[in-house]
């Protein structure tokens, strides 16, 4: 493995759909939520950021599912069921494992 590239380790609690957009929306929402005052404007801003955060989560989950289905269509029939098994168990029962390449977008790699 190349030096300086972090490996994504996943467990049963990992979110395959989590990405930078969701992370940024979460950070913005939490910051606004902490800093909001009793004024209506502060609450309004925090509520708007919460809506954006929830929309980002829905988009990320939908995109993850669509990538999964697209990979299943491209692959062999048996590969689909292997992938389903991977999704149902925490990486085939292993304690540590890296995310299967079919399930994550290479554009979102951690460098």
């Amino acid at each position: 493995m190349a030096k300086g590239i972090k490996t994504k380790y996943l467990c049963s609690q990992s979110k395959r759909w989590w990405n930078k957009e969701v992370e940024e929306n979460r950070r913005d929402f939490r910051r606004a939520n902490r800093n909001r005052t009793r004024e209506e404007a502060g609450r309004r801003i925090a509520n708007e950021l919460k809506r954006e955060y929830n929309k980002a989560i829905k988009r990320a989950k939908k995109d993850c599912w669509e990538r999964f289905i697209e990979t299943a269509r491209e692959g062999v029939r048996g590969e689909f069921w292997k992938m389903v098994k991977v999704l149902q168990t925490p990486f085939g029962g292993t304690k540590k494992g890296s995310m299967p390449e079919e399930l994550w977008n290479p554009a979102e790699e951690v460098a």
Side-chain angles (χ1 to χ4, degrees):
M1 183 177 290
K3 241 182 184 178
I5 297 176
K6 294 180 182 178
T7 304
K8 289 184 179 182
Y9 288 106
L10 300 175
C11 65
S12 61
Q13 305 263 325
S14 298
K15 309 300 181 236
R16 290 173 172 86
W17 46 265
W18 191 266
N19 60 29
K20 294 284 185 193
E21 180 189 7
V22 174
E23 186 176 330
E24 290 170 4
N25 280 315
R26 180 177 188 261
R27 184 180 57 236
D28 293 343
F29 164 64
R30 288 176 59 94
R31 185 177 296 134
N33 202 35
R34 274 193 313 269
N35 296 333
R36 77 185 198 183
T37 60
R38 295 182 187 272
E39 298 172 13
E40 184 64 30
R43 283 192 293 265
R44 219 174 313 129
I45 291 170
N47 288 338
E48 180 62 33
L49 289 172
K50 183 178 181 179
R51 275 192 293 278
E52 289 177 23
Y53 173 53
N54 288 331
K55 286 179 184 178
I57 289 173
K58 286 181 182 181
R59 269 193 312 272
K61 286 181 178 182
K62 181 180 177 190
D63 292 344
C64 182
W65 179 250
E66 288 174 355
R67 279 195 313 269
F68 174 75
I69 295 299
E70 187 62 34
T71 303
R73 287 184 186 143
E74 292 172 359
V76 183
R77 186 173 184 210
E79 290 294 315
F80 175 77
W81 294 111
K82 286 180 188 175
M83 290 169 50
V84 169
K85 184 177 180 181
V86 166
L87 288 174
Q88 290 176 344
T89 60
F91 294 93
T94 61
K95 287 185 180 180
K96 279 190 172 181
S98 60
M99 179 185 278
E101 291 183 24
E102 301 92 329
L103 300 179
W104 56 283
N105 185 354
E108 297 174 2
E109 285 185 34
V110 178

